[in-house]
Amino acid sequence: MPGETVQTREILLPGAVIDGNVGPATGDDRFDSLCPSDGRLIARIPRCDAADVGRAVASARRAFDDGPWPRLT
């Protein structure tokens, strides 16, 4: 609703979420996700490297190939 205040709280993700599991990201760095309306911190997210992205893409491919996604209308 216009003018409505949304309460946010900082979320610290413990690792990368890949294939439905939380595991450590390969990178040690984190980046901040900010609320676009007021710039408040929403979450600190682990920065993934190419290996993490490769695992995530492979997981998504498996979910598409073996899951219900290609049969949905």
Side-chain angles (χ1 to χ4, degrees):
M1 299 285 273
E4 185 176 331
T5 301
V6 176
Q7 297 296 322
T8 60
R9 63 185 175 91
E10 180 182 334
I11 300 170
L12 179 59
L13 297 176
V17 180
I18 300 174
D19 203 20
N21 300 304
V22 178
T26 306
D28 293 328
D29 192 22
R30 292 182 178 272
F31 66 94
D32 293 342
S33 176
L34 304 176
C35 178
S37 67
D38 61 15
R40 284 184 294 169
L41 178 67
I42 297 172
R44 290 214 162 98
I45 302 168
R47 189 175 305 276
C48 296
D49 68 3
D52 295 322
V53 173
R55 289 185 303 128
V57 169
S59 172
R61 182 79 250 178
R62 279 191 310 276
F64 181 80
D65 291 341
D66 301 332
W69 303 111
R71 294 180 293 283
L72 296 175
T73 58

